[in-house]
Amino acid sequence: MKTLAKNFNEKVNMAGMEDLISIVIPLYNSERFISKCVESLLGQTYTNIEVIIVDDASTDNSLKIVEGYAQKDSRINILCGKKYSGVSAVRNAGLKIANGEYICFVDSDDYVSKYFLESLITSVKDTGADISCVGVSIVSESQKKNLDKPFNPNKYDCKVYDKVEAMELLFTGRKIRMNIWNKIFHKKFFTGENKTIYNENIYHGEDVAFLYDVFSKTQKVAFVPMKYYAYTKRKGSLVHSKMNVKKLTYLSAVKYASEKCKKELPEAHTHVAGWRVGVNVETFYYMWRDSYFDYEAYQSILETFRTQMKCLKKSKKQHLSIRLFAPLGAKGLNLLYKIRFRKKLKELKKLEK
């Protein structure tokens, strides 16, 4: 494994003594997108940054492209030469070498407004928050979105939420999205004995467990509603792939967050449990759609429905359609799943007896 950090044509740092921001980018076969991603970061109005690109053994031209940028701008560090076990391991590797007072994560197929970092760092400084988030635009692979609506640090809209409010918004999908990449975090969450790291055994929905742990350790979260992050919906990504054993790890992530929240932050638990039900319904649907049979996962989903459905109904900040249709969807999917896999289920029940 090697780290590349070249110092050709180094740009003048206009940030003075401003805090360094580290941006971690996992890279894997993103040759069509990575140039736009990197250029959007190098063009930030806030210039005191280090861009940490962790290559997960890309087989296309992705690494060659970013090496070209690293030769021109010393703010880019590239970690390469190793095959990781997934995006969780990649992000942990980036966190280990991050030097910034604040940390951001950006995906290699996404891009940001030139005001992205300025708006985030301004809001945490103005409010005393440890975490800040911006709004998100969802774009297609071919779509180009102008994210450069000017940011005025002397006059801008910013909401501040306490821990319970922020957790509710995170787990109801309102304003504060359940994603790592439109946020900035103080480094204190990633250092010391109680530092937060990604669970490298979770391959889908990995942000759920990670963000629960971080948000449970903060007292204040800021939100700037400007849409300064563009998320690209890609065909062929893990999110859009067929059901598989890696996607099932999402169930472990939401179970972890739900059970910890019930003990540590019961005021917000109904919202976390509601998210858990929603993820289980979604996973159950994909298992049925893709004819994917996993008896252990099936039993786990049924148990979740049995124990958590009441919490979903109590979570009035969950969207009404979810509270109404999730219970109906769970029953309907169970019936359809039993029909599709009736022979296998009968065989397993006989073995259990």
Side-chain angles (χ1 to χ4, degrees):
M1 184 169 60
K2 59 182 179 177
T3 302
L4 302 180
K6 298 187 177 180
N7 296 290
F8 297 96
N9 300 325
E10 184 173 358
K11 292 184 178 180
V12 177
N13 179 16
M14 302 300 292
M17 298 301 292
E18 292 178 341
D19 290 323
L20 178 68
I21 300 177
S22 299
I23 305 106
V24 177
I25 305 177
L27 180 66
Y28 180 72
N29 290 355
S30 297
E31 62 181 3
R32 291 184 296 146
F33 308 97
I34 189 60
S35 291
K36 188 169 187 177
C37 175
V38 172
E39 287 174 7
S40 72
L41 291 168
L42 297 181
Q44 292 293 297
T45 56
Y46 189 95
T47 60
N48 194 19
I49 65 174
E50 64 170 1
V51 180
I52 300 170
I53 301 173
V54 186
D55 178 60
D56 193 11
S58 294
T59 56
D60 64 0
N61 290 317
S62 296
L63 181 58
K64 185 177 180 180
I65 291 170
V66 296
E67 285 177 343
Y69 283 106
Q71 290 179 342
K72 299 174 183 177
D73 198 312
S74 63
R75 295 177 297 174
I76 297 178
N77 292 336
I78 304 173
L79 195 61
C80 59
K82 178 180 177 180
K83 177 62 180 173
Y84 294 90
S85 59
V87 69
S88 294
V90 171
R91 287 179 176 145
N92 282 341
L95 280 173
K96 284 181 181 178
I97 64 170
N99 298 303
E101 188 72 14
Y102 292 90
I103 313 290
C104 280
F105 299 85
V106 173
D107 281 357
S108 60
D109 47 3
D110 299 338
Y111 58 94
V112 298
S113 162
K114 64 183 179 181
Y115 304 110
F116 174 63
L117 294 176
E118 183 185 0
S119 63
L120 288 170
I121 196 69
T122 300
S123 58
V124 295
K125 295 291 187 179
D126 286 351
T127 64
D130 300 313
I131 304 170
S132 184
C133 323
V134 295
V136 176
S137 285
I138 300 175
V139 299
S140 66
E141 293 184 28
S142 59
Q143 185 179 359
K144 293 182 180 180
K145 191 92 170 182
N146 183 5
L147 304 176
D148 290 337
K149 186 176 180 180
F151 174 77
N152 184 346
N154 298 314
K155 185 180 179 181
Y156 67 100
D157 188 15
C158 181
K159 308 294 183 185
V160 182
Y161 304 101
D162 64 28
K163 181 189 300 187
V164 174
E165 292 172 327
M167 197 73 79
E168 289 175 357
L169 292 172
L170 183 68
F171 280 92
T172 53
R174 296 169 60 244
K175 295 185 180 180
I176 302 175
R177 295 175 59 94
M178 181 58 76
N179 301 103
I180 196 71
W181 28 251
N182 65 324
K183 302 172 176 64
I184 195 170
F185 305 89
H186 193 276
K187 70 175 182 180
K188 70 179 183 181
F189 296 115
F190 314 118
T191 58
E193 293 182 0
N194 297 316
K195 67 180 179 182
T196 304
I197 61 172
Y198 271 92
N199 182 338
E200 296 184 10
N201 294 316
I202 296 176
Y203 301 93
H204 183 55
E206 65 281 344
D207 288 348
V208 176
F210 184 84
L211 286 174
Y212 172 79
D213 281 341
V214 173
F215 273 60
S216 67
K217 296 171 185 175
T218 192
Q219 298 301 321
K220 194 184 297 183
V221 176
F223 174 71
V224 179
M226 311 285 278
K227 292 185 177 182
Y228 284 155
Y229 191 100
Y231 166 73
T232 304
K233 292 183 71 173
R234 281 180 65 180
K235 296 178 181 178
S237 65
L238 179 60
V239 174
H240 300 105
S241 63
K242 287 189 175 183
M243 179 54 62
N244 54 57
V245 67
K246 287 188 174 182
K247 292 190 80 167
L248 281 178
T249 59
Y250 201 170
L251 301 180
S252 300
V254 294
K255 180 180 180 181
Y256 169 87
S258 178
E259 291 182 352
K260 284 201 75 177
C261 186
K262 190 174 183 178
K263 294 178 182 178
E264 300 173 348
L265 201 63
E267 308 97 302
H269 180 251
T270 56
H271 308 285
V272 181
W275 181 277
R276 184 178 177 184
V277 169
V279 167
N280 276 262
V281 170
E282 180 183 44
T283 304
F284 204 6
Y285 166 72
Y286 289 130
M287 288 172 67
W288 170 81
R289 184 198 66 179
D290 299 335
S291 296
Y292 185 89
F293 184 78
D294 185 306
Y295 189 61
E296 186 177 343
Y298 172 66
Q299 292 288 79
S300 174
I301 288 170
L302 293 184
E303 178 64 14
T304 297
F305 290 157
R306 187 183 69 80
T307 59
Q308 305 296 315
M309 202 63 79
K310 289 182 180 179
C311 291
L312 174 63
K313 293 176 181 178
K314 291 178 182 178
S315 182
K316 294 184 178 180
K317 290 188 179 180
Q318 289 282 356
H319 197 280
L320 181 61
S321 62
I322 296 175
R323 289 190 283 127
L324 289 176
F325 293 114
L328 294 175
K331 291 179 181 178
L333 284 167
N334 191 27
L335 177 61
L336 292 170
Y337 201 77
K338 283 181 176 179
I339 293 171
R340 175 160 289 180
F341 296 107
R342 56 187 179 277
K343 290 183 179 179
K344 288 185 178 181
L345 289 169
K346 283 182 180 179
E347 290 172 2
L348 287 167
K349 285 183 178 180
K350 285 180 181 179
L351 291 173
E352 286 181 347
K353 291 180 180 179

